[in-house]
Each structure stands twice: as C-alpha cells, then as structure tokens.
C-alpha cells in the first residue's frame, strides 16, 4: 500500500523508553527498560532523533505489545514506527505474532526501518523454516500498511524475496545514522601497546561456544586498561546486585561474572543509556568483540572498532556498512587486539556513508516520514536537550566494600517493600469486602429451593 502520510504529526515509536527519560539504575533493571539488551536503545534512540522534526512529535510506545491498544493508537497517532533488530529468529516468534495481531488492527501506516533474520554465518535459512508462516504474516501485515519494509542486509533481503516479497529495501540499521550523513571516526595513530585503552564486548554464547573468553583473558593479561562492556540485563544485574539467578550465571568466563578477575578489578561496565555509553567510549583507542551495537556505539563515538562475527545478524550489517570485521570461528585464541587494530580499514565505511544515508532517508521519504537532517535542525535541539539531562553513569561491579552504594541499594529495596506492603494491605481489604457480601444464589437455585421443600413434604410417608 502506498503511504498516505505526508507530514506525520504524531509518531508512535516502539522503544524501551524515550531518550529523554532519565531512569534510576534500580528501576531500569527492575522494569527492563532496554528489553534484555542495552543495544536495543542504540537504534531506537537514533530513530527517535532522526524522526523528530518541527512537524513531528515522537512518542515511545514501550516494548510490550498490547493488541487491545489498537483503537487508542488509531485515534491518537498518525504512524507507528517499529525499529527491530534480529526479530526473525525462533526465540522471538511469539512476540512477532503479537506484533502482527496489533498491526492488522491498525488503520494508520506502519513503518519498519531495519529488521533482520538471524542464522549462522553460512546464511542458511533452514533454522528459520518452522517460523516461516509467522514471518510471512508479519511482513504481509507491514506491507499492507506501508510502501516497503526496510531490512538490515543482504541475507534478510534474500530471505524475504525467497518468500515472494518484492517491496524490500536494504537500509541497514538506524543506529549508524544517528549523526546523519556525517560519520567521524578518528584516524588511527601508531600501534596499540600496554598503555592503550581498549574496550571489548561479547555475548555469553560467544564466550561459551566460540572461545571469546580466552581471547578476552589474553587481552586482559597484556593490556592493563582493558574494559569489558556488557549489554544483557543479566549482565547488569550481576554487576549491580551480584544476582546469579539467571541461567547466564553458569558462564563464569565472561567478565560480568563476580568470579572473573576483571569484575574484581572494576574493569566492567553496563550502560543504561546510549549517551553515557558513547561518551565513555570516546576515551578509548579501540573497541572489538562480537556485539554489533557495542561496536557501533564505539564508531558513533569516533572510536575505531572491529566486529568478530558469529552469526548472520552481525555479518550482514558489517558487510552492508563496510565495518571492519573478522569471522569469530576463524580468529585464533591468541589474537592480539593490536593486530585487529592494525588491519582495520575504515576507508570504505567512511566513503560509502553518504550514499547509505541517502538510501535510508529515501526509504523514509517513500514511507511518508520526514527526517531531522533534511527537514529539521539536524538534531541540534535533540542533542541540546540530551546534554542538559543528568543520566546515571555506567553500572560498575559491586564488590561490597562501598558503604554509600550499599545504602543506595538498601534504600531502594526498602521503598519497594513499603510499596508492596501497601498494595498487599489494599488487596486484603478488597478481599475482605468481597467475603462480607452474601453470596447471591442463581435463579435456578432459588426456584429449586422454593419447589423442593413442598414437594419433599408431599412425598414424605404419612405416620
């Protein structure tokens, strides 16, 4: 369906939270504002900045999908924008089906600016075969509400075209266009050495299955200023609460685990907000690891980065944007970050960025969406507002020897207990009131009682 939105006045954006929401760490972890992975906020915040123009207000919808909200969305908004990451994967199938249910009930345009399919680096779609019908229904629903669907790279494009879809545009990920047509990556200096500040990132799977843990340990032994940046909610809870209840806690080789030496040395962080994440990464010389958005955060901060690709979702984005990368399975465990740094060529990434940005904004134009770089102030108001806010710093490992940190955590827990106690008292009162109300008998029960007693007397044998 061709888009009928020329000047969207109210844009509903699927995102964990608005970029302007300053959320305390405890609440952020309790409510899971980044939907289990802080990388989600890298692209949703970028989408928010891109779409905020003098003629458009952007409102965060949260991550939860409530089909019952369809009528409210129809009446209050002009367009629903749904940035997604690797949504075509088995573990996301239920959420994808719910999104489809919501979209089919909407009468406003729905725009998906970059979605990906996840499989191995061999690009085989066999793993996705069981969820083909779910993906087909979702893409069909989106295309009923938009001119085209935006995908992250070559594999996802082929995957959807093999299903018969033609209105598929390869546009990468909105995160890379946070600064619009400009992408300033610092020129590399000399080689890395013991005094270099290096950031490393990675998932639990990459540590457990692809020897990334050994690569990190070697780098830790040779680079005193190495820092690991985690992204999962379980990572953050391990740092802030030393919470080991999640199955990820079984992976002790990842630096976010309290048993890891980098944890004990305070060389680990997890960020609640992209702005603090990027600000910190500006002070590093190099970033590497298996997390695509962990390294995109570095590139946006101007810091050279190399991605170690372990699946299609990272590989197709690296290929599309010409981000320096290596196959994780082919990287030796004794790889030196200095080698990755020396071989990284950022020329193709820089040279192709303008054209890729124009392709992305062309997709927005096709779907009736303006962008701040073509129709606004280039994000100046957005950045000014962000810089005036005081976001919490990156979460650090809690080693138990900080009395102030202990007090803050206990105060938050006490507040939660007080609120829960008040709610519990209210529920008890409501239950007591219900119990005090006489039970109303049904019409059948009353009729049976009225007829039954005389009938029993009549049938009683006479004495």
């Amino acid at each position: 369906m061709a888009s009928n939105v020329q000047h969207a006045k109210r844009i509903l954006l699927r995102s964990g939270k608005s970029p302007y929401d300053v959320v305390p760490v405890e609440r952020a972890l309790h409510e899971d504002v980044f939907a289990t992975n802080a990388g989600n906020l890298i692209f949703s915040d970028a989408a928010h900045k891109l779409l905020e123009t003098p003629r458009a207000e952007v409102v965060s919808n949260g991550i939860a999908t409530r089909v019952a909200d369809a009528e409210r969305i129809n009446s209050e908004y002009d367009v629903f924008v749904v940035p997604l990451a690797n949504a075509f994967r088995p573990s996301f199938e239920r959420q994808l089906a719910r999104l489809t249910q919501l979209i089919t009930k909407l009468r406003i345009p729905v725009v998906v600016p970059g979605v990906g399919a996840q499989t191995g680096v061999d690009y085989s779609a066999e793993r996705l075969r069981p969820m083909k019908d779910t993906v087909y229904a979702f893409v069909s629903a989106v295309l009923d509400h938009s001119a085209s669907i935006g995908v992250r790279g070559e594999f996802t494009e082929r995957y959807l075209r093999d299903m018969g879809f033609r209105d598929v545009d390869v546009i990468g990920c909105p995160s890379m266009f946070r600064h619009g047509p400009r992408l300033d990556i610092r020129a590399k200096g000399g080689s890395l050495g013991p005094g270099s500040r290096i950031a490393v990132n990675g998932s639990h799977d990459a540590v457990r299955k692809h020897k990334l843990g050994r690569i990190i340990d070697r780098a830790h032994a040779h680079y005193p200023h190495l820092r690991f940046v985690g992204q999962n909610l379980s990572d953050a809870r391990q740092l802030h609460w030393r919470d080991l209840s999640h199955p990820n806690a079984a992976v002790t080789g990842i630096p976010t685990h309290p048993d890891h030496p980098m944890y004990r040395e305070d060389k680990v962080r997890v960020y609640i907000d992209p702005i603090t994440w990027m600000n910190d990464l500006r002070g590093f010389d190099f970033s590497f690891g298996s997390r695509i958005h962990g390294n995109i955060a570095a590139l946006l901060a101007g810091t050279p980065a190399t991605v170690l690709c372990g699946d299609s979702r990272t590989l197709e984005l690296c290929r599309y944007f010409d981000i320096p990368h290596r196959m994780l399975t082919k990287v030796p465990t004794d790889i030196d970050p200095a080698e990755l740094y020396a071989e990284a060529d950022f020329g193709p990434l820089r040279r192709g960025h303008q054209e890729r940005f124009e392709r992305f904004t062309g997709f927005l134009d096709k779907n009736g969406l303006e962008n701040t770089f073509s129709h606004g102030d280039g994000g100046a108001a957005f950045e000014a507002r962000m810089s005036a806010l005081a976001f919490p710093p990156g979460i650090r490992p809690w080693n138990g020897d900080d009395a102030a940190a202990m007090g803050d955590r206990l105060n938050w827990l006490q507040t939660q207990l007080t609120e829960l106690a008040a709610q519990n008292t209210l529920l008890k009162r409501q239950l007591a009131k219900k119990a005090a109300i006489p039970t109303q008998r049904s019409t059948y029960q009353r009729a049976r009682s009225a007829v039954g007693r005389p009938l029993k007397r009549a049938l009683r044998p006479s004495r």
Side-chain angles (χ1 to χ4, degrees):
M1 150 178 150
S3 171
N4 58 6
V5 178
Q6 297 303 316
H7 301 292
K9 294 187 178 177
R10 295 204 82 212
I11 298 172
L12 186 63
L13 181 72
R14 183 182 185 270
S15 60
K17 73 179 185 71
S18 164
Y20 306 130
D21 288 342
V22 179
V23 182
V25 169
E26 289 83 7
R27 187 183 135 208
L29 302 188
H30 182 63
E31 298 178 2
D32 186 14
V33 297
F34 47 65
T36 76
N37 187 335
N40 291 324
L41 291 181
I42 297 287
F43 61 80
S44 66
D45 276 21
H48 190 117
K49 176 184 176 180
L50 283 156
L51 297 172
E52 197 169 69
T53 70
R55 287 181 289 271
E57 176 192 4
V58 183
V59 179
S60 174
N61 188 48
I63 291 296
T65 301
R66 289 177 284 271
V67 180
D69 287 349
E71 278 309 309
R72 178 184 63 80
I73 294 171
N74 283 326
S75 64
E76 295 181 8
Y77 297 96
D78 299 294
V79 58
F80 184 31
V81 177
V82 189
L84 293 168
N86 52 323
F88 300 155
R89 69 183 194 275
S91 61
F92 195 74
E93 185 172 9
R94 278 180 23 183
Q95 294 94 316
L96 196 66
R98 282 201 301 273
L99 263 175
T100 304
Q101 291 172 29
L102 173 61
I103 291 169
T104 55
K105 291 180 179 295
L106 296 181
R107 297 187 297 275
I108 60 174
V110 177
V111 182
V112 175
V115 61
Q118 181 178 342
T119 187
V121 292
D122 61 354
Y123 283 1
S124 170
E126 188 61 32
R127 174 176 177 265
L128 305 177
R129 186 183 297 275
M131 65 179 300
K132 180 179 178 180
D133 291 345
T134 305
V135 173
Y136 189 91
F138 172 79
V139 177
S140 297
V142 170
L143 291 177
D144 283 343
H145 292 75
S146 60
S148 63
I149 186 169
V151 299
R152 297 174 90 180
E154 57 190 346
F155 169 65
T156 307
E157 178 189 31
R158 190 187 75 194
Y159 174 61
L160 295 186
R161 289 192 182 280
D162 285 349
M163 287 188 193
F165 295 109
R166 292 293 171 262
D167 296 318
V168 181
D169 292 326
V170 179
I171 56 173
C173 176
S175 58
M176 286 292 287
F177 305 115
R178 183 185 176 106
H179 303 319
R182 192 185 82 253
L183 186 63
D184 299 324
I185 301 168
R186 290 193 306 274
K188 293 189 299 178
S191 59
L192 297 181
S196 300
R197 297 196 70 203
I198 301 173
V200 62
N201 52 70
S203 68
H204 291 78
D205 275 352
V207 168
R208 183 174 61 246
K209 299 176 182 176
H210 298 297
K211 69 202 174 190
L212 182 62
R214 283 181 280 170
I215 294 173
I216 294 171
D217 288 345
R218 187 189 184 283
H220 174 231
H222 290 82
Y223 294 91
H225 303 292
L226 183 75
R227 178 182 292 177
F228 182 84
V229 181
Q231 291 182 205
N232 278 4
L233 178 64
S234 62
D235 291 330
R237 287 177 172 167
Q238 284 182 180
L239 263 59
H240 194 71
W241 294 112
R242 294 179 74 95
D243 177 4
L244 301 178
S245 61
H246 193 277
N248 281 344
V251 185
T252 59
I254 196 164
T256 51
H257 194 283
D259 289 347
H260 198 281
M262 289 184 70
Y263 188 109
R264 296 192 295 272
E265 295 168 15
D266 192 31
K267 294 179 178 178
V268 189
R269 298 288 185 275
V270 174
Y271 296 90
I272 301 299
D273 300 281
I275 189 168
T276 53
W277 193 349
M278 292 184 292
N279 284 345
D280 277 8
L281 285 175
R282 242 174 232 116
F284 283 78
D285 300 300
F286 182 56
S287 171
F288 78 102
S290 66
R291 290 288 196 182
I292 184 65
H293 283 104
N295 290 302
I296 285 177
L299 294 172
L300 293 172
T303 300
T306 294
V307 181
L308 304 181
C309 296
D311 54 32
S312 64
R313 60 177 170 163
T314 52
L315 181 59
E316 68 174 352
L317 270 181
C318 287
R319 284 180 170 169
Y320 179 70
F321 284 109
D322 285 318
I323 297 172
H325 62 281
R326 293 268 295 267
M327 295 299 185
L328 184 54
T329 54
K330 296 181 179 178
V331 176
T333 56
D334 62 351
I335 187 73
D336 190 323
E339 180 183 335
L340 298 174
Y341 179 78
E343 71 182 18
D345 179 5
F346 297 95
L349 171 59
R350 292 190 187 98
R351 289 191 296 272
H353 188 73
Q354 174 76 37
E355 180 185 346
R356 285 185 285 261
F357 175 71
E358 291 173 358
R359 193 176 303 135
F360 180 80
T361 55
F363 166 82
L364 296 180
D365 289 343
K366 184 194 301 188
N367 284 283
L369 291 170
E370 295 183 340
N371 74 85
T372 186
F373 295 96
S374 305
H375 310 96
D377 62 2
F382 174 92
E383 296 296 350
R385 185 173 174 185
M386 291 293 285
S387 64
L389 298 171
F391 292 94
I395 303 173
R396 303 171 70 158
W398 183 25
N399 287 303
D401 55 359
D402 185 342
M406 172 77 82
D408 290 342
R409 287 164 173 79
L410 290 176
N411 286 337
W412 185 83
L413 288 171
Q414 181 61 48
T415 301
Q416 290 296 106
L417 285 171
T418 301
E419 291 177 0
L420 287 171
Q423 292 172 10
N424 193 37
T425 300
L426 179 62
L427 288 171
K428 283 182 177 178
R429 286 175 183 166
Q430 292 173 343
L431 285 171
K433 284 182 180 179
K434 281 192 172 183
I437 299 173
T439 305
Q440 297 293 324
R441 293 188 301 167
S442 67
T443 303
Y444 167 76
Q445 288 172 322
R446 291 197 301 272
R448 181 177 175 185
S449 177
V451 175
R453 280 192 298 268
L455 189 60
K456 284 179 182 177
R457 283 197 299 271
L459 295 175
R460 189 180 300 153
S462 58
R463 297 180 180 177

